[in-house]
Amino acid sequence: MTPFQVQILSADHPFFCGECESLSVPTLDGQYGILAGHSNMIAAVVPGMLHFRTPGGTNQIAAVSHGLVKVENGEVLILIDSAERPEEIDINRARREADAAKEAIQQKRSIQEYRSAQAMLARAINRLQVKEHYQSWNK
């Protein structure tokens, strides 16, 4: 497969910069696949599992949050609020965050607090799914 340049930048650090052979990004319309020679485009990224394959056949996954993906002139730029490798995810902490978010949703205080709790729950569930997927890969 022909490699292409990818930059995955989270709000607080560059997550990955280098060549990829394939990339799959969670978008509003589902997982969006990108290969070398992809046409120019911009799409919204939603919380989910990002997959990419580096030259040499190394498959990698990450839990990502909201952001955007841009393909322009054969290069890909992904700007996201957060990105975590599965080995960085503390499963117990993610479970506690999910429980806290569920409790906050049940409180039904203000619309803003409700939406914030929903976002926190979505992130925690995503982190748990990525960690579990990673653990099943490595068995």
Side-chain angles (χ1 to χ4, degrees), residues 1-138:
M1 296 184 103
T2 305
F4 56 96
Q5 279 300 122
V6 174
Q7 289 187 66
I8 304 171
L9 306 175
S10 70
D12 59 352
H13 70 283
F15 179 77
F16 175 83
C17 295
E19 290 188 332
C20 282
E21 292 180 343
S22 65
L23 177 66
S24 178
V25 183
T27 69
L28 291 170
D29 296 322
Q31 286 295 119
Y32 195 87
I34 300 170
L35 297 172
H38 196 285
S39 59
N40 293 349
M41 55 79 71
I42 295 178
V45 175
V46 297
M49 192 178 318
L50 179 135
H51 300 259
F52 60 100
R53 183 180 180 93
T54 58
T58 305
N59 290 313
Q60 298 186 41
I61 60 173
V64 297
S65 61
H66 292 282
L68 66 89
V69 57
K70 177 180 88 164
V71 179
E72 184 175 33
N73 301 324
E75 295 186 1
V76 178
L77 174 63
I78 300 175
L79 301 172
I80 44 185
D81 289 334
S82 67
E84 291 178 278
R85 289 180 172 77
E87 55 272 15
E88 298 170 343
I89 296 171
D90 178 339
I91 200 160
N92 292 324
R93 186 174 136 222
R95 286 184 181 136
R96 286 192 305 272
E97 289 172 356
D99 291 342
K102 288 174 188 174
E103 179 66 29
I105 287 170
Q106 292 176 347
Q107 296 295 319
K108 298 181 184 173
R109 293 181 183 148
S110 70
I111 294 296
Q112 182 179 358
E113 288 173 329
Y114 177 76
R115 288 188 179 141
S116 176
Q118 282 183 314
M120 189 169 82
L121 179 60
R123 181 172 184 250
I125 289 171
N126 179 46
R127 294 173 75 226
L128 289 168
Q129 289 173 339
V130 168
K131 184 71 170 188
E132 288 167 6
H133 183 82
Y134 176 75
Q135 288 174 335
S136 69
W137 265 12
N138 293 314

